[in-house]
Amino acid sequence: MSECLKLHISQVFKDDVAKNGFNHVSVAKIMKQSGIRRQTFYENFKDKFDLLDYTIKSMMENDIESNIGYLDWEGIIFLVFYGIELNKKFYKSVYESQTEVDVVGEISSHIAVLLKQIIEEEGADFDQQAKDFVETFCLGLTYTMIDNLFRPHPLEYDVIASKVDNALHFTLNL
């Protein structure tokens, strides 16, 4: 299957989850809405959890890894928070409806790629202390994003992104 078709299926899945909730999405419904055969789906995804994992990875890679070298890290942070905000119904549903895919861990691992890049660009060694910082900071950051989705009055994405930028500038003396 081409990457474009996989992304199409992922988009259909993401839209359906946002509209109806993760628990109300089935592989049969995704196949029908995507216009694909059962065999095509199962040649590329084991089940809807595998599709969920692919969807989150592709969204994060699109926001983070594909922009490293093109945008400054502050811009990428804003882009990540904007993407979470745009897809808040999707993220809320998959976070609270299932445990098979580690949503926080997946998002955090992609943010870690960016932080590692920042640390190396600043000329610091990516030693064990740096690895511990990145792991802890990224998990905290991701939980902050998720927590904000469930607040009665969530902060705007740019407010949280600014706080993250400030925290990184302070911590890394940038």
Side-chain angles (χ1 to χ4, degrees):
M1 177 186 299
S2 75
E3 189 64 21
C4 288
L5 184 55
K6 286 176 85 168
L7 287 171
H8 170 69
I9 294 166
S10 176
Q11 183 65 49
V12 168
F13 169 72
K14 183 175 63 165
D15 292 345
D16 199 22
V17 168
K19 181 178 179 184
N20 300 307
F22 182 78
N23 290 332
H24 299 287
V25 173
S26 68
V27 170
K29 190 174 177 185
I30 295 165
M31 290 182 308
K32 183 176 180 181
Q33 291 174 337
S34 299
I36 60 168
R37 297 177 302 129
R38 181 177 191 82
Q39 179 182 352
T40 303
F41 181 89
Y42 286 110
E43 284 174 351
N44 294 279
F45 303 107
K46 292 184 282 189
D47 52 27
K48 75 177 188 176
F49 298 102
D50 190 35
L51 176 55
L52 171 59
D53 186 60
Y54 172 82
T55 301
I56 293 172
K57 282 180 181 175
S58 65
M59 290 167 66
M60 288 295 110
E61 287 172 359
N62 186 57
D63 288 349
I64 298 173
E65 285 91 341
S66 67
N67 286 305
I68 292 174
Y70 297 103
L71 296 176
D72 61 18
W73 64 266
E74 292 96 342
I76 295 172
I77 295 287
F78 274 83
L79 190 59
V80 169
F81 277 92
Y82 180 68
I84 297 290
E85 175 67 23
L86 277 179
N87 297 290
K88 66 183 167 187
K89 289 181 180 179
F90 169 79
Y91 282 111
K92 282 177 72 171
S93 181
V94 299
Y95 181 76
E96 65 184 355
S97 301
Q98 59 83 44
T99 57
E100 286 81 353
V101 174
D102 181 5
V103 176
V104 170
E106 189 60 47
I107 295 169
S108 179
S109 70
H110 290 277
I111 295 170
V113 171
L114 177 61
L115 261 60
K116 181 179 186 281
Q117 178 78 18
I118 294 167
I119 289 168
E120 290 174 344
E121 282 178 2
E122 292 303 312
D125 292 330
F126 197 69
D127 57 12
Q128 190 58 50
Q129 276 187 316
K131 289 176 185 175
D132 291 344
F133 164 74
V134 166
E135 178 183 357
T136 304
F137 188 86
C138 291
L139 283 172
L141 170 63
T142 306
Y143 276 114
T144 299
M145 280 192 269
I146 298 296
D147 177 66
N148 190 57
L149 296 176
F150 290 94
R151 289 182 177 194
H153 304 288
L155 297 173
E156 295 291 325
Y157 77 91
D158 55 335
V159 172
I160 299 177
S162 290
K163 289 181 178 214
V164 170
D165 285 351
N166 289 339
L168 284 171
H169 279 281
F170 173 78
T171 304
L172 301 173
N173 297 314
L174 300 175

